[in-house]
Amino acid sequence: MKDQFAVIGLGRFGGNLVSELSHLGVEVLAIDINHEVVDKYSDIATHAVQANAMDETVLKQLGIRNFDTVVVSFGENIEASILTTLLLKDLGINDVWVKASNSYHQKVLEKIGADKIIHPERDMARRIAHHITSEKIIDYIELSSDHSIVEVSASSKVAGKTLIQLDVRAKYGCNIIAIQRAEGIIVSPSAEEKVERDDILVVIGHNRDIQRFEKAGV
């Protein structure tokens, strides 16, 4: 597990990310050019520093190359985002995640070598859209443009049946990779595992297969 992260830009997304990483018990370096924002996270992050991330010398002094992953999370300052990403890649950071403001910003980030591009608002909108259009889908995670993981409430129609009886893979082309119930989660359940009422099925597969599975009322 990676245990050293740096977050550059402590706006709404970056700040929440720092808080969640700190909650997970990993080392977090929080960087922003605004001293008031930095003060806000001084008791949350492992280290909170006021600094200009577009200055290569400053990044070196902060020991940025010692971090496993660096997240660039500027708001609408696309120029700062691009220049900082370039500097990080030039410094040899292997894993640079960058928040993109729009599709044009993403294209530039792809060309300069960003390792992962994040669209928080778009991704959350997709999750909510899938949730509100289905009574059964509890959560949705996009893996690619074609594949996803969804959490689906098990219906009374499947309660008491084993996974081998349901034969989801053969019938719908997707896979149940976990079952969540009140007493805990069963990862990689066996074919003989019985589905209980109120179970949450964690399903992975192609989007069209997941939709067929959901529409079948399983």
Side-chain angles (χ1 to χ4, degrees), residues 103-123:
S103 58
Y104 301 106
H105 188 189
Q106 175 173 344
K107 287 179 181 178
V108 176
L109 293 171
E110 288 171 346
K111 288 184 180 295
I112 63 176
D115 299 285
K116 177 72 175 179
I117 299 167
I118 314 160
H119 290 271
E121 292 85 0
R122 183 199 68 183
D123 295 343

Side-chain angles (χ1 to χ4, degrees), residues 7 13-25 28 41 44-45:
V7 178
F13 175 73
N16 282 321
L17 182 59
V18 167
S19 297
E20 288 300 318
L21 288 169
S22 298
H23 180 71
L24 290 172
V28 187
Y41 291 95
I44 298 172

Side-chain angles (χ1 to χ4, degrees), residues 4-55:
Q4 289 186 310
F5 297 83
V7 178
I8 302 174
L10 303 178
R12 184 165 52 187
F13 175 73
N16 282 321
L17 182 59
V18 167
S19 297
E20 288 300 318
L21 288 169
S22 298
H23 180 71
L24 290 172
V26 298
E27 182 177 342
V28 187
L29 170 63
I31 304 170
D32 199 282
I33 201 164
N34 187 322
H35 73 87
E36 293 180 353
V37 174
V38 170
D39 288 345
K40 181 180 176 181
Y41 291 95
S42 60
D43 293 330
I44 298 172
T46 312
H47 305 285
V49 180
Q50 179 191 3
N52 180 3
M54 290 186 288
D55 187 323

Side-chain angles (χ1 to χ4, degrees), residues 4 7 9 22 24 28 31 34 47 54 71 77 80 82 91 97 125 155 161 166 171 209 215 217:
Q4 289 186 310
V7 178
S22 298
L24 290 172
V28 187
I31 304 170
N34 187 322
H47 305 285
M54 290 186 288
V71 180
N77 194 336
I82 292 168
L91 288 169
W97 293 44
S155 67
K161 292 185 179 180
L166 294 177
K171 292 178 181 176
D209 294 329
K215 287 178 181 178

